[in-house]
Each structure stands twice: as C-alpha cells, then as structure tokens.
Amino acid sequence: MHVETLRRYPVKSMLGEEIAESEVTERGLAGDRARAVLDVATGKIASAKNPRLWRDLLTIEGARVPDDAELSRLLGRAVRLIDVPPEGAEFERSVPERVLAEGIEAEVPHTVGTLGAASPGGTFFDFAPVHLISTSSVERIGALSPRGHVEALRYRPNLIIATGSAGFPENDWVGRELHVGGDVVLEVIVASPRCAVPTLAHGALGRDVEALRTVARHNRVPVFDMGPQPCAGVYARVLRPGRIRKGDPVRLG
C-alpha cells in the first residue's frame, strides 16, 4: 500500500486542495480545517452536512476565501470566518436518508453534534483529525453505482491509500495502527459514517445521490452505539507525528 493522494481543506466544508507533502501533528495535516464559517444568528459552525443551509460552501475554494461581507452574500446568511471555535461549538447534520428522499431544499430533521470528540481541543474536525479512504473502496462504490464510477474527493479524505485488495479493506483497519512513510503512525478509530455531503455538487462536479445510496446498500458497518451505518473510509488519530509525502509506503502495524 502507498499514499496515492494527499488533500487538505483549509476551511471546513469548503473545497480542498491536493498537496504533495505535509507535516502531520496531533492536529492532523498542516493547515487542514484551520478555519470555519460561523453562523452569526445561531452561533453554530456552518457545515455542508446541513445541505439546505450550507451546500453552497462547496462552491467556494477554501484557499481563496472572500471577506465576511462577500461570504455572507454568497451564502445568504450573516456569517463570520473564524480560526478558533467557540466553546462547546456545535454543527447540524441533516438525516441523510431524509435528504435522499426529500431533496436538498427540504427542511428535514437533523442532529446536533459537537466538534472533535477524538481531536485536540480548539480544532474544527467533526470527529477525528485524519480521514482516510482506500482506492479499493472508491473503485467498489463506483463499480456498484449506476454511473459506473465515483470521485474520491466527494468523501473529502485527507489520504487516499492505494490498495490492491477488493471491496472495502479499511473496514478491517479499525483498532489497528497504520505506519505512513518513515515517521507517522496513525491509530484507526472507527469507520466513517457518511452524511449527505458526498451527494452534493462539489465545485464543477454535479450532484450524485448514488455516492451515498450505493454505500448505504453495500457497506453498512457498526459505528459505536449507532448500529450499522453506511460507511466509506475510516477516521484516525495521530499517535506519532512526522512528515508524509505522496507515494509514501503504508503498512498495517
């Protein structure tokens, strides 16, 4: 196995960028989710996991963010760009199945989450600081989808790991260590339950509801006390920091 692609997302829920290498600390890849958009009216962190309100975040390049006034105009709500989360910061996650059934314009039920249960304080990660997905999983989802392919960037990974096995190999990485390059060691915590975000337009990419529907049909994995969830990829924390590069070997510890 090896690192096929490295990606970071300078602003939470905005478009990311591919990079050749990165320093990795307990806070993940350098510059990843360094900032976020705050909804002034509610005090919540804006997240495309609530597509009705925030899907347009995925039209904005995270590396070239306009000022707050322009950002508010683009998003249709008063917002501020912040680099430190408020204490107890929350975000909304629309129920994915309801979004699929009723559409992205519908006001559907949502859950409210707090940031970073498995991340250092002061970060904007929903859960853990590193998200990985394998080429095998992306290829399997694509093969099972009516389109015949799916784009890995819809799942917003930090690392795309080139794997030779079929199916969803990272399901079996949970609870194990991944050694990346010569320095970095990651602990895989849990499979990544998917929300509505992969189905949304990402920049020039149009909508693809099958990016979630196919996962829901073919890869439901137990996630903590939530029971089987549609999953693609895994979350990890950083056990040993260091530098990683595209092409670095990856091995299971």
Side-chain angles (χ1 to χ4, degrees), residues 93 95-104 137 140-147 149-150 154-155 168 193-200 207-221 229-232:
R93 182 183 191 268
V95 176
E97 292 80 5
R98 295 290 294 272
V99 176
L100 286 178
E102 300 176 39
I104 56 176
S137 289
R140 183 63 174 155
I141 295 166
L144 292 167
S145 168
R147 289 177 63 216
H149 73 282
V150 71
R154 292 185 179 277
Y155 301 100
F168 299 90
R194 304 319 316 196
C195 60
V197 168
T199 72
L200 304 176
R207 288 202 69 207
D208 182 7
V209 295
E210 291 298 330
L212 174 59
R213 282 182 179 156
T214 300
V215 173
R217 292 188 190 113
H218 297 283
N219 195 47
R220 287 189 171 268
V221 179
Q229 301 291 313
C231 292

Side-chain angles (χ1 to χ4, degrees), residues 60-126:
I60 301 169
E61 296 284 348
R64 295 187 292 276
V65 186
D67 62 27
D68 288 349
E70 178 65 8
L71 198 55
S72 297
R73 187 190 67 78
L74 289 170
L75 297 172
R77 293 174 71 90
V79 298
R80 286 193 298 111
L81 199 65
I82 59 174
D83 55 14
V84 178
E87 187 172 351
E90 296 177 331
F91 64 94
E92 294 177 351
R93 182 183 191 268
S94 298
V95 176
E97 292 80 5
R98 295 290 294 272
V99 176
L100 286 178
E102 300 176 39
I104 56 176
E105 298 280 0
E107 189 165 353
V108 302
H110 64 264
T111 57
V112 176
T114 54
L115 293 176
S119 302
T123 58
F124 290 108
F125 302 107
D126 287 348

Side-chain angles (χ1 to χ4, degrees), residues 160-179:
I160 302 174
I161 306 297
T163 46
S165 52
F168 299 90
E170 61 267 47
N171 291 350
D172 297 326
W173 299 352
V174 174
R176 302 183 66 181
E177 293 180 1
L178 280 181
H179 296 249

